Amino acid sequence: METLQIKGTILTPSLGDAYVAALKRNSYLSILRAASIVQPADVADITPVLAYAAAQTSPTQVAVKGGGAHSSTWASSDGGIVIDLFKLNKVALSEDKNSISVQGGALWEDVYKITSQAKVEVVGAPLWFVGVGGFTLGGGYGPLSGEHGLAIDNLLSATVVLADGRVVKTSATEEPDLFWAIRGGGGQFGIVVEFVFKVHPYAGPFTGGLLVYPIADKSDLRKVIDEWKKTQTSAERFTMHFSRPPPDFKPCVIIFPSTLHDVDGARARRSFAPFLELSAGRAQLPFRTVPDFHAVSHAADKALEHAPRRLVIRGTMFSDFYPELLGAVWDKWVDFTEGNPDVRASAVLWDLTVPDRIADIKPGETALKTRMPHYWIAIQGRSTTDESVDACREFTSDVVQFVRAKNAELSGQDLGWFLNMCQGDEKPEDVFGENLPRLRAVKATYDPGDVFNKGVSIEPLV
Ligand SMILES: Cc1cc2nc3c(=O)[nH]c(=O)nc-3n(C[C@H](O)[C@H](O)[C@H](O)COP(=O)(O)OP(=O)(O)OC[C@H]3O[C@@H](n4cnc5c(N)ncnc54)[C@H](O)[C@@H]3O)c2cc1C
């Protein structure tokens, strides 16, 4: 492997610190020791690596790393080759500012630096360190999704290195089946080396902040949701967290409200007012208006600085904020975080983005399972010790299973799992639903040997 003629870097364990640094992921639990890590300097570097892996007598696993933010081990390999795309992070805004091309290893940080400077927007992740690759291929639910749909709904074209080394362009008119599959089907069809996204007009200034509600009674949860429903529009983006903030680590509901187009602060005053009233006399931090999304994507930096990095995330979709669903998740989370200080940083995040635009796209138009109006929940298990990791895994798994089943019971709709927050042990039909047969057929065309097999398994149709 070390003798492969490429312009990029090849790292093996014998290289010590540089190799160890390249294994790093957002979660310590996502790290596996690869036999080699290849960091392509350009797209042409990728084909020889795939050829090398294919030529070995015993199959060598190939894993692809975008931003390394996924909390599974899908972007890592135990003894195989990792193709780490981090050097492929160029971003170019078109001259007419209608589209932006982003290389497959870019972080949203790389994109927001450009869009913020040019005063335009793109549907991306809420946090700067999330990779464009994994986020987009799993659907991409972002803070601007209320106004513009998901990242995949804004994808105009992509360039993909296939398992056999060919580089193909894909769009609604070129290799359309592949274009369909990568919009929600994940990274199992090839290595996306370039995404081209639709660009939208400036959506700032953005006003955000933090409201902390120590919860004495579960009915308070319902009050928070009722207030939000009264004021919500697609130009507000709220998230609700169950969290135990220092210094006393009491169970709290924390609301992160954020408004778009907040030119003179009027929108924030209007949409935050009921929440401020609800929290009267209780802890809250001041609100801040920032000019651009780059600043918004750094808003959680301080809070995340000390968060334990043994992180496991699982997520699922739900149809509405049913009081019995909210209350039961609250009880499960309080119980889990009460007794063991190792895991008290574990949190539950409810995304409160208005779902209408997401539901504008017809089911089956992209590979995403669910297009009926829905929300998503992320269960974040965080542990300060190795000993408590299994408990976190069990907790996240238990809560998402509960939410999925309870939501199905209450709404009559089984919305399945959220690919961007899966761990790989999920049944593919529960992630891709009715799209699975077509995904398997596309897989048979573009990756018949199942080279890109990390993730929720999509077996090529035989
Ligand atoms: C703190 C945090 C907040 C998050 N918030 C959201 C959110 O608001 N909305 C949301 O939708 N998701 C969210 N996510 C989930 C996130 O979108 C996924 O974890 C996503 O996979 C991260 O992308 P990445 O490129 O960093 O991942 P990686 O860990 O690098 O890769 C994840 C998967 O994608 C594949 N992949 C990555 N890049 C490519 C590529 N260019 N070509 C082919 N395959 C590729 C990898 O092989 C792997 O299977 C969040 C995650 C975290 C940790």
Side-chain angles (χ1 to χ4, degrees):
M1 184 72 194
E2 292 94 318
T3 57
L4 213 62
Q5 292 300 308
I6 62 166
K7 289 194 229 95
T9 313
I10 300 175
L11 298 166
T12 52
S14 64
L15 288 167
D17 289 353
Y19 166 82
V20 172
L23 292 177
K24 260 179 71 183
R25 300 290 181 269
N26 182 54
S27 167
Y28 294 164
L29 306 178
S30 304
I31 297 173
L32 297 175
R33 284 184 70 83
S36 41
I37 301 165
V38 183
Q39 297 170 332
D42 58 22
V43 174
D45 273 355
I46 296 176
T47 301
V49 181
L50 295 174
Y52 171 90
Q56 304 310 299
T57 38
S58 60
T60 302
Q61 184 179 61
V62 175
V64 177
K65 180 194 153 241
H70 203 288
S71 92
S72 69
T73 55
W74 299 349
S76 303
S77 173
D78 187 4
I81 300 171
V82 170
I83 301 180
D84 178 351
L85 301 173
F86 91 98
K87 291 182 180 173
L88 303 183
N89 69 341
K90 291 186 190 57
V91 178
L93 185 63
S94 67
E95 229 165 83
D96 62 9
K97 296 191 181 176
N98 285 329
S99 65
I100 191 162
S101 89
V102 182
Q103 283 194 306
L107 304 181
W108 283 106
E109 165 86 344
D110 301 310
V111 179
Y112 296 149
K113 274 185 190 160
I114 304 283
T115 50
S116 293
Q117 205 176 11
K119 288 232 170 219
V120 291
E121 311 294 346
V122 65
V123 176
L127 302 172
W128 63 272
F129 58 83
V130 174
V132 173
F135 176 85
T136 302
L137 297 168
Y141 290 69
L144 301 186
S145 290
E147 293 203 322
H148 302 301
L150 304 178
I152 51 171
D153 305 336
N154 290 276
L155 187 63
L156 300 172
S157 67
T159 304
V160 185
V161 181
L162 300 176
D164 62 10
R166 276 181 303 141
V167 182
V168 298
K169 179 141 186 235
T170 175
S171 66
T173 53
E174 301 151 289
E175 313 279 352
D177 281 346
L178 180 61
F179 190 58
W180 173 82
I182 63 169
R183 286 179 294 154
Q188 293 185 63
F189 299 89
I191 302 177
V192 181
V193 288
E194 186 191 50
F195 297 90
V196 179
F197 295 103
K198 202 187 284 178
V199 164
H200 297 282
Y202 177 57
F206 303 89
T207 301
L210 185 139
L211 284 162
V212 184
Y213 303 87
I215 291 279
D217 179 337
K218 271 186 294 180
S219 64
D220 285 358
L221 293 171
R222 189 64 223 178
K223 281 187 212 152
V224 169
I225 294 297
D226 287 347
E227 291 309 326
W228 166 71
K229 284 210 163 174
K230 276 185 218 157
T231 58
Q232 64 165 335
T233 74
S234 60
E236 276 82 50
R237 198 258 177 169
F238 283 54
T239 55
M240 176 171 74
H241 299 232
F242 294 171
S243 178
R244 290 178 180 265
D248 58 10
F249 305 104
K250 292 245 167 61
C252 287
V253 165
I254 303 185
I255 301 282
F256 291 90
S258 171
T259 56
L260 286 52
H261 313 290
D262 199 22
V263 179
D264 53 7
R267 191 182 284 279
R269 275 196 297 279
R270 191 171 62 245
S271 63
F272 298 174
F275 296 93
L276 292 166
E277 233 167 79
L278 251 189
S279 77
R282 294 184 281 184
Q284 55 183 272
L285 289 187
F287 295 99
R288 210 156 69 91
T289 300
V290 294
D292 58 58
F293 206 81
H294 183 239
V296 175
S297 75
H298 279 272
D301 285 3
K302 230 180 159 54
L304 289 175
E305 211 173 81
H306 303 294
R309 298 295 279 267
R310 290 176 192 80
L311 166 67
V312 54
I313 306 180
R314 283 193 193 254
T316 190
M317 312 307 190
F318 61 98
S319 311
D320 208 348
F321 292 84
Y322 303 107
E324 52 269 68
L325 185 64
L326 280 170
V329 172
W330 172 264
D331 287 341
K332 282 176 184 288
W333 169 77
V334 170
D335 279 357
F336 177 65
T337 50
E338 190 76 49
N340 180 359
D342 291 359
V343 302
R344 72 179 167 209
S346 299
V348 175
L349 183 159
W350 306 77
D351 183 64
L352 279 67
T353 301
V354 176
D356 304 8
R357 289 305 308 274
I358 297 167
D360 278 351
I361 307 288
K362 288 195 196 72
E365 214 171 285
T366 66
L368 197 82
K369 178 177 186 286
T370 298
R371 283 297 183 170
M372 58 188 58
H374 63 276
Y375 305 92
W376 58 268
I377 179 173
I379 319 299
Q380 304 184 345
R382 286 190 189 266
S383 168
T384 53
T385 63
D386 289 338
E387 290 68 41
S388 295
V389 166
D390 283 347
C392 282
R393 290 194 192 284
E394 213 173 294
F395 167 68
T396 58
S397 178
D398 171 57
V399 179
V400 284
Q401 285 185 48
F402 168 79
V403 173
R404 179 179 161 203
K406 193 76 187 166
N407 183 68
E409 178 194 316
L410 296 169
S411 71
Q413 305 290 344
D414 181 359
L415 302 185
W417 305 131
F418 182 3
L419 179 61
N420 273 349
M421 296 179 185
C422 281
Q423 287 293 316
D425 53 3
E426 297 80 2
K427 284 194 193 140
E429 47 272 43
D430 292 343
V431 179
F432 304 112
E434 289 178 0
N435 293 324
L436 184 60
R438 183 170 171 198
L439 281 168
R440 292 188 58 203
V442 179
K443 178 83 171 164
T445 306
Y446 290 97
D447 182 18
D450 204 12
V451 171
F452 303 113
N453 58 17
K454 299 215 67 171
V456 175
S457 169
I458 300 172
E459 285 180 21
L461 200 67
V462 280

